[in-house]
Amino acid sequence: MSIVTVQLGQCGNQIGFEVFDTLFSDSHSSQGLCSKRENEAYQASCKERFFSEEENGVPIARAVLVDMEPKVINQTLSKAAQSGRWKYGQHAYFCQKQGSGNNWAYGYSVHGPRHEESIMNIIQKEVEKCDSLSGFFIIMSMAGGTGSGIGAFVTQNLQDQYAHSLKMNQIIWPYGTGEVIVQNYNSILTLSHLYRSSDALLVHENDAVHKICAKLMNIKQISFSDINQVLAHQLGSVFQPVYSAEGLFHYRRNPLEGFKDPALYTSWLQPVDAFNVWKTQRAFSKYEKSASLVSNSQFLVKPLNMIVGKAWNMFASKAYLHQYTKFGIEEEDFLDSFTLLEQVVASYYNL
């Protein structure tokens, strides 16, 4: 089962490169505790999932790259090609901006529709290279401008055209003290649209990843490259091939016992149904032992409520609304977004 990755905007393309580089490096690293046969099966599964046929012996990433200017796409294509280990195919699309600035509404209402046919045709070509399509992995910023608007638009189109395939969006939660004045507007618009069209949102907070770099990795001058590599490692450990959890732990005390506590889960869901473990004897990257936790919990309620509150305060004073209304995003669209996200917050509070 293959996954087609859609890298959107500067954020999506830079993280996407690091993800594929991590996946490739892992599949060619130490096999850990598994047998040679198991390692070969692991490598074959990774290749089938994320890479297509080889060109001159070099695997090609199953990816589509979309951005509003050529610089980042060209850098991304070049970095992959220069590695000599894997490369991107020709499925990249540069959408020329025309004096719009960095604007979510322009991306969603104008830019996306204008380039819809070209983008979806490129995605279709990548899909046709898959023997069996599992779904789409869309990497994008949540609070960015035009790129986030196009990301929401493309995800909606994927839902319309590939209704039976999984759509998972990996989104980057902005820094609490962001530099983009309208990042809270962009965030609520992105989240509300993805809530309707995506099957799952995999969220990473910039602030949390920054702390990992500073406190756990002891990096003094943290760059976006450092942050993207941490994100790629986390994503790679989640998406690589795994198997059932039988025989995973043989210690005197099973470290997973704590997850069997019913108090951790909502009353209508039993622990046996709420918590699943998947494992492989194969080491991930350079780590002989590693673990990743993906949870659907109340963890994001506080930051979500904060973003909604900040956006509402701006909306109540009609600050910067003209940047959106001039491209077709009306006040009613904002109100719909506020209503939906407030319902999401209330639902999580009541778990």
Side-chain angles (χ1 to χ4, degrees):
M1 300 290 284
S2 300
I3 296 173
V4 171
T5 298
V6 182
Q7 304 176 185
L8 290 154
Q10 178 176 344
C11 174
N13 280 295
Q14 291 178 339
I15 294 174
F17 166 81
E18 297 292 351
V19 169
F20 279 107
D21 205 51
T22 297
L23 291 169
F24 185 90
S25 297
D26 168 59
S27 67
H28 289 76
S29 63
S30 170
Q31 63 192 54
L33 301 176
C34 71
S35 67
K36 180 180 178 181
R37 181 179 178 183
E38 289 172 325
N39 187 54
E40 290 174 347
Y42 181 94
Q43 290 177 324
S45 180
C46 172
K47 182 178 178 182
E48 169 63 23
R49 184 175 295 179
F50 295 105
F51 297 91
S52 60
E53 79 280 356
E54 295 185 355
E55 183 177 287
N56 299 324
V58 180
I60 301 174
R62 297 187 187 276
V64 172
L65 292 72
V66 179
D67 203 355
M68 276 53 66
E69 56 184 12
K71 180 179 178 181
V72 172
I73 284 184
N74 290 339
Q75 289 175 343
T76 305
L77 295 175
S78 178
K79 285 177 68 176
Q82 289 174 3
S83 74
R85 304 186 304 165
W86 64 275
K87 61 186 291 187
Y88 286 104
Q90 300 301 313
H91 297 156
Y93 190 70
F94 160 48
C95 310
Q96 177 67 52
K97 280 199 292 189
Q98 298 176 350
S100 65
N102 195 19
N103 189 290
W104 193 99
Y106 183 82
Y108 181 83
S109 300
V110 180
H111 220 49
R114 178 180 295 163
H115 298 278
E116 174 183 356
E117 183 176 357
S118 298
I119 294 173
M120 298 312 294
N121 283 344
I122 293 174
I123 292 174
Q124 176 63 33
K125 289 178 181 178
E126 194 62 49
V127 168
E128 289 172 353
K129 294 164 64 176
C130 302
D131 291 333
S132 179
L133 177 66
S134 175
F136 298 92
F137 181 46
I138 304 109
I139 309 177
M140 56 185 283
S141 168
M142 183 176 86
T146 310
S148 295
I150 288 183
F153 180 82
V154 169
T155 303
Q156 183 176 304
N157 274 265
L158 289 174
Q159 172 60 22
D160 293 339
Q161 296 189 27
Y162 301 93
H164 300 294
S165 297
L166 176 71
K167 274 75 61 181
M168 174 179 282
N169 290 70
Q170 193 270 341
I171 55 176
I172 307 302
W173 202 274
Y175 285 105
T177 54
E179 297 180 357
V180 181
I181 191 67
V182 292
Q183 72 173 30
N184 297 306
Y185 278 166
N186 294 344
S187 295
I188 66 160
L189 290 168
T190 299
L191 286 171
S192 62
H193 282 79
L194 293 184
Y195 184 85
R196 298 183 182 99
S197 55
S198 181
D199 296 303
L201 302 183
L202 193 57
V203 179
H204 284 92
E205 289 185 281
N206 264 337
D207 288 312
V209 179
H210 197 97
K211 288 181 181 178
I212 291 175
C213 291
K215 296 184 178 180
L216 298 183
M217 302 175 70
N218 199 31
I219 300 174
K220 301 303 181 183
Q221 299 293 328
I222 300 171
S223 66
F224 278 113
S225 178
D226 296 321
I227 290 174
N228 292 343
Q229 288 174 18
V230 171
L231 291 170
H233 179 88
Q234 294 184 357
L235 291 169
S237 64
V238 169
F239 285 119
Q240 281 293 52
V242 289
Y243 309 98
S244 67
E246 294 301 319
L248 175 58
F249 293 102
H250 302 286
Y251 312 135
R252 290 183 179 179
R253 180 179 180 276
N254 189 334
L256 298 180
E257 285 297 322
F259 287 100
K260 296 181 179 180
D261 184 357
L264 291 174
Y265 309 105
T266 185
S267 60
W268 44 264
L269 197 59
Q270 295 299 314
V272 67
D273 300 312
F275 183 71
N276 292 296
V277 180
W278 300 89
K279 65 97 180 182
T280 176
Q281 295 288 354
R282 184 22 167 97
F284 176 72
S285 191
K286 61 183 179 181
Y287 301 96
E288 182 177 313
K289 296 178 182 178
S290 63
S292 299
L293 175 66
V294 179
S295 67
N296 184 9
S297 67
Q298 294 178 328
F299 179 73
L300 279 175
V301 168
K302 184 177 179 180
L304 175 57
N305 208 20
M306 186 175 300
I307 279 182
V308 171
K310 289 180 178 178
W312 177 258
N313 289 337
M314 290 178 62
F315 180 80
S317 61
K318 298 189 182 300
Y320 302 101
L321 285 182
H322 65 282
Q323 294 187 13
Y324 298 82
T325 56
K326 67 180 179 180
F327 292 120
I329 300 297
E330 303 297 339
E331 292 188 17
E332 290 76 11
D333 298 309
F334 278 95
L335 291 173
D336 288 343
S337 295
F338 283 123
T339 300
L340 187 150
L341 294 179
E342 287 169 353
Q343 290 173 347
V344 170
V345 169
S347 296
Y348 274 95
Y349 267 134
N350 292 327
L351 284 179

